[in-house]
mmCIF file of all heavy atoms in Angstrom:
data_model
loop_
_atom_site.group_PDB
_atom_site.id
_atom_site.type_symbol
_atom_site.label_atom_id
_atom_site.label_comp_id
_atom_site.label_asym_id
_atom_site.label_seq_id
_atom_site.Cartn_x
_atom_site.Cartn_y
_atom_site.Cartn_z
ATOM 1 N N ARG A 1 -190.969 47.570 0.557
ATOM 2 C CA ARG A 1 -191.567 48.018 1.825
ATOM 3 C C ARG A 1 -193.069 47.749 1.867
ATOM 4 O O ARG A 1 -193.644 47.568 2.935
ATOM 5 C CB ARG A 1 -191.324 49.510 2.023
ATOM 6 C CG ARG A 1 -189.908 49.841 2.424
ATOM 7 C CD ARG A 1 -189.725 51.332 2.561
ATOM 8 N NE ARG A 1 -188.369 51.669 2.982
ATOM 9 C CZ ARG A 1 -187.875 52.889 2.961
ATOM 10 N NH1 ARG A 1 -188.621 53.911 2.544
ATOM 11 N NH2 ARG A 1 -186.641 53.104 3.350
ATOM 12 N N ALA A 2 -193.710 47.725 0.706
ATOM 13 C CA ALA A 2 -195.162 47.520 0.630
ATOM 14 C C ALA A 2 -195.558 46.043 0.685
ATOM 15 O O ALA A 2 -196.740 45.728 0.793
ATOM 16 C CB ALA A 2 -195.705 48.160 -0.652
ATOM 17 N N GLU A 3 -194.581 45.148 0.647
ATOM 18 C CA GLU A 3 -194.886 43.720 0.661
ATOM 19 C C GLU A 3 -195.398 43.284 2.033
ATOM 20 O O GLU A 3 -194.984 43.812 3.062
ATOM 21 C CB GLU A 3 -193.652 42.905 0.285
ATOM 22 C CG GLU A 3 -193.271 43.063 -1.174
ATOM 23 C CD GLU A 3 -192.040 42.239 -1.519
ATOM 24 O OE1 GLU A 3 -192.003 41.050 -1.166
ATOM 25 O OE2 GLU A 3 -191.123 42.813 -2.141
ATOM 26 N N GLU A 4 -196.260 42.288 2.014
ATOM 27 C CA GLU A 4 -196.919 41.778 3.218
ATOM 28 C C GLU A 4 -195.943 41.412 4.328
ATOM 29 O O GLU A 4 -196.124 41.813 5.464
ATOM 30 C CB GLU A 4 -197.766 40.542 2.858
ATOM 31 C CG GLU A 4 -198.403 39.850 4.023
ATOM 32 C CD GLU A 4 -199.687 40.502 4.468
ATOM 33 O OE1 GLU A 4 -200.313 41.201 3.654
ATOM 34 O OE2 GLU A 4 -200.059 40.303 5.636
ATOM 35 N N GLY A 5 -194.905 40.666 4.044
ATOM 36 C CA GLY A 5 -194.014 40.179 5.090
ATOM 37 C C GLY A 5 -192.818 41.062 5.385
ATOM 38 O O GLY A 5 -191.933 40.684 6.153
ATOM 39 N N ASN A 6 -192.782 42.252 4.792
ATOM 40 C CA ASN A 6 -191.637 43.143 5.013
ATOM 41 C C ASN A 6 -191.811 43.948 6.286
ATOM 42 O O ASN A 6 -192.875 44.491 6.553
ATOM 43 C CB ASN A 6 -191.436 44.083 3.826
ATOM 44 C CG ASN A 6 -190.228 44.982 4.029
ATOM 45 O OD1 ASN A 6 -190.355 46.124 4.431
ATOM 46 N ND2 ASN A 6 -189.061 44.430 3.774
ATOM 47 N N ILE A 7 -190.745 44.038 7.066
ATOM 48 C CA ILE A 7 -190.734 44.860 8.273
ATOM 49 C C ILE A 7 -190.007 46.172 7.989
ATOM 50 O O ILE A 7 -190.469 47.244 8.359
ATOM 51 C CB ILE A 7 -190.085 44.086 9.439
ATOM 52 C CG1 ILE A 7 -190.925 42.845 9.735
ATOM 53 C CG2 ILE A 7 -189.932 44.983 10.663
ATOM 54 C CD1 ILE A 7 -190.258 41.829 10.623
ATOM 55 N N SER A 8 -188.865 46.086 7.313
ATOM 56 C CA SER A 8 -188.149 47.298 6.891
ATOM 57 C C SER A 8 -187.232 46.956 5.720
ATOM 58 O O SER A 8 -186.844 45.794 5.534
ATOM 59 C CB SER A 8 -187.345 47.901 8.047
ATOM 60 O OG SER A 8 -186.258 47.068 8.383
ATOM 61 N N TYR A 9 -186.893 47.988 4.951
ATOM 62 C CA TYR A 9 -186.067 47.795 3.753
ATOM 63 C C TYR A 9 -185.437 49.141 3.433
ATOM 64 O O TYR A 9 -186.150 50.134 3.248
ATOM 65 C CB TYR A 9 -186.962 47.354 2.594
ATOM 66 C CG TYR A 9 -186.256 46.694 1.438
ATOM 67 C CD1 TYR A 9 -186.392 45.331 1.214
ATOM 68 C CD2 TYR A 9 -185.469 47.423 0.552
ATOM 69 C CE1 TYR A 9 -185.775 44.706 0.137
ATOM 70 C CE2 TYR A 9 -184.844 46.799 -0.524
ATOM 71 C CZ TYR A 9 -185.005 45.442 -0.725
ATOM 72 O OH TYR A 9 -184.387 44.823 -1.788
ATOM 73 N N SER A 10 -184.117 49.201 3.413
ATOM 74 C CA SER A 10 -183.458 50.472 3.124
ATOM 75 C C SER A 10 -182.188 50.255 2.322
ATOM 76 O O SER A 10 -181.580 49.175 2.356
ATOM 77 C CB SER A 10 -183.124 51.225 4.417
ATOM 78 O OG SER A 10 -182.162 50.507 5.168
ATOM 79 N N LEU A 11 -181.779 51.291 1.611
ATOM 80 C CA LEU A 11 -180.500 51.312 0.909
ATOM 81 C C LEU A 11 -179.617 52.313 1.632
ATOM 82 O O LEU A 11 -180.050 53.434 1.923
ATOM 83 C CB LEU A 11 -180.684 51.727 -0.552
ATOM 84 C CG LEU A 11 -179.376 51.884 -1.339
ATOM 85 C CD1 LEU A 11 -178.629 50.553 -1.447
ATOM 86 C CD2 LEU A 11 -179.659 52.451 -2.724
ATOM 87 N N ASN A 12 -178.382 51.924 1.906
ATOM 88 C CA ASN A 12 -177.449 52.751 2.660
ATOM 89 C C ASN A 12 -176.133 52.862 1.907
ATOM 90 O O ASN A 12 -175.655 51.877 1.329
ATOM 91 C CB ASN A 12 -177.212 52.125 4.036
ATOM 92 C CG ASN A 12 -178.521 51.881 4.758
ATOM 93 O OD1 ASN A 12 -178.995 52.737 5.463
ATOM 94 N ND2 ASN A 12 -179.124 50.715 4.547
ATOM 95 N N GLN A 13 -175.540 54.051 1.916
ATOM 96 C CA GLN A 13 -174.274 54.310 1.224
ATOM 97 C C GLN A 13 -173.176 54.536 2.260
ATOM 98 O O GLN A 13 -173.355 55.306 3.217
ATOM 99 C CB GLN A 13 -174.422 55.549 0.333
ATOM 100 C CG GLN A 13 -173.185 55.895 -0.463
ATOM 101 C CD GLN A 13 -173.398 57.152 -1.301
ATOM 102 O OE1 GLN A 13 -174.170 58.045 -0.943
ATOM 103 N NE2 GLN A 13 -172.716 57.216 -2.430
ATOM 104 N N ASN A 14 -172.046 53.889 2.067
ATOM 105 C CA ASN A 14 -170.894 54.052 2.947
ATOM 106 C C ASN A 14 -170.366 55.479 2.813
ATOM 107 O O ASN A 14 -170.105 55.959 1.710
ATOM 108 C CB ASN A 14 -169.802 53.045 2.576
ATOM 109 C CG ASN A 14 -168.643 53.029 3.539
ATOM 110 O OD1 ASN A 14 -168.182 54.062 4.021
ATOM 111 N ND2 ASN A 14 -168.140 51.838 3.806
ATOM 112 N N ILE A 15 -170.216 56.180 3.915
ATOM 113 C CA ILE A 15 -169.776 57.573 3.911
ATOM 114 C C ILE A 15 -168.340 57.699 3.406
ATOM 115 O O ILE A 15 -168.023 58.617 2.658
ATOM 116 C CB ILE A 15 -169.923 58.184 5.321
ATOM 117 C CG1 ILE A 15 -171.409 58.294 5.668
ATOM 118 C CG2 ILE A 15 -169.237 59.542 5.419
ATOM 119 C CD1 ILE A 15 -171.687 58.678 7.108
ATOM 120 N N LYS A 16 -167.483 56.762 3.786
ATOM 121 C CA LYS A 16 -166.073 56.848 3.407
ATOM 122 C C LYS A 16 -165.765 56.205 2.058
ATOM 123 O O LYS A 16 -164.745 56.495 1.445
ATOM 124 C CB LYS A 16 -165.195 56.220 4.491
ATOM 125 C CG LYS A 16 -165.213 57.010 5.783
ATOM 126 C CD LYS A 16 -164.260 56.412 6.790
ATOM 127 C CE LYS A 16 -164.280 57.244 8.069
ATOM 128 N NZ LYS A 16 -163.375 56.700 9.083
ATOM 129 N N LYS A 17 -166.635 55.309 1.605
ATOM 130 C CA LYS A 17 -166.467 54.624 0.313
ATOM 131 C C LYS A 17 -167.773 54.774 -0.457
ATOM 132 O O LYS A 17 -168.641 53.910 -0.401
ATOM 133 C CB LYS A 17 -166.164 53.141 0.526
ATOM 134 C CG LYS A 17 -164.918 52.863 1.331
ATOM 135 C CD LYS A 17 -164.805 51.360 1.550
ATOM 136 C CE LYS A 17 -163.849 51.026 2.654
ATOM 137 N NZ LYS A 17 -163.905 49.604 3.003
ATOM 138 N N PRO A 18 -167.950 55.869 -1.185
ATOM 139 C CA PRO A 18 -169.241 56.186 -1.810
ATOM 140 C C PRO A 18 -169.798 55.112 -2.748
ATOM 141 O O PRO A 18 -171.006 55.035 -2.941
ATOM 142 C CB PRO A 18 -168.963 57.476 -2.570
ATOM 143 C CG PRO A 18 -167.754 58.061 -1.933
ATOM 144 C CD PRO A 18 -166.962 56.912 -1.407
ATOM 145 N N GLY A 19 -168.950 54.271 -3.296
ATOM 146 C CA GLY A 19 -169.447 53.218 -4.182
ATOM 147 C C GLY A 19 -170.055 52.039 -3.437
ATOM 148 O O GLY A 19 -170.820 51.265 -4.001
ATOM 149 N N GLU A 20 -169.726 51.904 -2.170
ATOM 150 C CA GLU A 20 -170.226 50.778 -1.382
ATOM 151 C C GLU A 20 -171.638 51.071 -0.871
ATOM 152 O O GLU A 20 -171.864 52.054 -0.186
ATOM 153 C CB GLU A 20 -169.280 50.518 -0.200
ATOM 154 C CG GLU A 20 -169.643 49.273 0.581
ATOM 155 C CD GLU A 20 -168.625 49.001 1.665
ATOM 156 O OE1 GLU A 20 -167.515 48.568 1.348
ATOM 157 O OE2 GLU A 20 -168.967 49.272 2.840
ATOM 158 N N HIS A 21 -172.556 50.206 -1.245
ATOM 159 C CA HIS A 21 -173.958 50.343 -0.850
ATOM 160 C C HIS A 21 -174.421 49.051 -0.185
ATOM 161 O O HIS A 21 -174.007 47.960 -0.584
ATOM 162 C CB HIS A 21 -174.830 50.626 -2.084
ATOM 163 C CG HIS A 21 -174.650 51.992 -2.632
ATOM 164 N ND1 HIS A 21 -173.497 52.388 -3.266
ATOM 165 C CD2 HIS A 21 -175.474 53.063 -2.633
ATOM 166 C CE1 HIS A 21 -173.623 53.652 -3.641
ATOM 167 N NE2 HIS A 21 -174.815 54.080 -3.277
ATOM 168 N N VAL A 22 -175.294 49.196 0.797
ATOM 169 C CA VAL A 22 -175.813 48.046 1.521
ATOM 170 C C VAL A 22 -177.335 48.154 1.616
ATOM 171 O O VAL A 22 -177.860 49.168 2.072
ATOM 172 C CB VAL A 22 -175.205 47.952 2.940
ATOM 173 C CG1 VAL A 22 -175.782 46.775 3.697
ATOM 174 C CG2 VAL A 22 -173.695 47.851 2.876
ATOM 175 N N PHE A 23 -178.005 47.118 1.155
ATOM 176 C CA PHE A 23 -179.442 46.988 1.403
ATOM 177 C C PHE A 23 -179.569 46.306 2.753
ATOM 178 O O PHE A 23 -178.969 45.252 2.986
ATOM 179 C CB PHE A 23 -180.116 46.116 0.340
ATOM 180 C CG PHE A 23 -180.204 46.750 -1.012
ATOM 181 C CD1 PHE A 23 -179.209 46.547 -1.957
ATOM 182 C CD2 PHE A 23 -181.289 47.543 -1.350
ATOM 183 C CE1 PHE A 23 -179.293 47.112 -3.214
ATOM 184 C CE2 PHE A 23 -181.383 48.115 -2.613
ATOM 185 C CZ PHE A 23 -180.382 47.907 -3.544
ATOM 186 N N ILE A 24 -180.335 46.897 3.656
ATOM 187 C CA ILE A 24 -180.611 46.285 4.953
ATOM 188 C C ILE A 24 -182.109 46.008 4.993
ATOM 189 O O ILE A 24 -182.922 46.929 4.879
ATOM 190 C CB ILE A 24 -180.168 47.184 6.118
ATOM 191 C CG1 ILE A 24 -178.651 47.454 6.020
ATOM 192 C CG2 ILE A 24 -180.536 46.542 7.455
ATOM 193 C CD1 ILE A 24 -178.119 48.413 7.049
#
């Protein structure tokens, strides 16, 4: 998030499948 060209960066966990994670 602190990088010059970054607009947004997040980690998200699937509510129904707790092992599934997505970086957006």
Side-chain angles (χ1 to χ4, degrees):
R1 285 178 179 168
E3 290 180 49
E4 175 82 23
N6 182 261
I7 298 167
S8 69
Y9 199 108
S10 65
L11 175 64
N12 306 271
Q13 182 181 30
N14 187 320
I15 292 171
K16 293 184 179 180
K17 301 176 197 171
E20 186 176 287
H21 288 70
V22 178
F23 290 92
I24 300 175

